[in-house]
Amino acid sequence: MTTSSLASALVKASVLSQEIAVQAERRRQLYGGNLDTALLEMGLVDEKTLVTHLANFTGIPAAPFERLARPDQQAGPWLDAGAAARLGTVPIGLREEALELAVHPEADHDALVAWAGERHLLVEPCLVTEARFRGLLGVVYGIPVPPRFVSLLAK
């Protein structure tokens, strides 16, 4: 089985062994979700370490956890719930003239850039895990958080 470019990057960074990367990819195929979710569910890496490595891989800065604890509710209306889910991003604040966005690693970054460009918005993305993204969808938009993500966020 081949691994995704993300899994390969984590192997190269010595975060995972090749065998563990393959196991995580299998879990992902079986249960769905993103690779980061599979790795967290398997208990192979903690969220902070994982986000740090994902940020290095994607080039998107890791979200400061303290910003995620209390997203600014005034930022939510800049993006409706459907678009947030489709783009893989949740507004978490407004800073100066930029809309702060929490994005998960497999978000459609090109679509996000196009969305912001159409609205002439300056956006400041920061990276979160899929579980954290799902939790933020719940906090900002009231979208129910699936049980698998609730259990990851409770850790």
Side-chain angles (χ1 to χ4, degrees):
M1 167 181 229
T2 60
T3 57
S4 66
S5 58
L6 178 55
S8 297
L10 293 171
V11 169
K12 187 175 181 180
S14 300
V15 176
L16 307 174
S17 68
Q18 182 64 37
E19 180 182 332
I20 295 295
V22 169
Q23 288 175 13
E25 290 285 1
R26 282 190 186 126
R27 180 179 181 89
R28 175 185 173 165
Q29 288 181 348
L30 185 62
Y31 297 109
N34 295 340
L35 179 66
D36 60 298
T37 299
L39 292 169
L40 291 171
E41 287 174 332
M42 294 169 73
L44 298 172
V45 65
D46 66 273
E47 182 180 15
K48 189 172 185 175
T49 301
L50 182 57
V51 169
T52 299
H53 286 287
L54 293 172
N56 289 338
F57 175 72
T58 62
I60 300 169
F65 283 107
E66 61 276 0
R67 286 288 299 121
L68 302 175
R70 285 186 231 139
D72 181 354
Q73 294 296 322
Q74 293 180 354
W78 283 90
L79 180 65
D80 67 76
R86 182 175 42 59
L87 294 171
T89 189
V90 176
I92 58 171
L94 295 166
R95 189 163 59 172
E96 296 174 18
E97 295 190 22
L99 180 63
E100 293 178 290
L101 300 171
V103 299
H104 69 74
E106 297 184 20
D108 186 343
H109 302 290
D110 292 337
L112 176 59
V113 169
W115 174 86
E118 290 167 3
R119 287 154 185 80
H120 306 288
L121 282 176
L122 180 60
V123 295
E124 191 173 302
C126 56
L127 199 66
V128 296
T129 61
E130 180 184 27
R132 190 71 52 192
F133 165 73
R134 297 292 181 156
L136 287 167
L137 280 176
V139 170
V140 174
Y141 299 109
I143 296 172
V145 181
R148 78 186 288 196
F149 300 114
V150 170
S151 65
L152 286 174
L153 293 170
K155 292 181 180 178

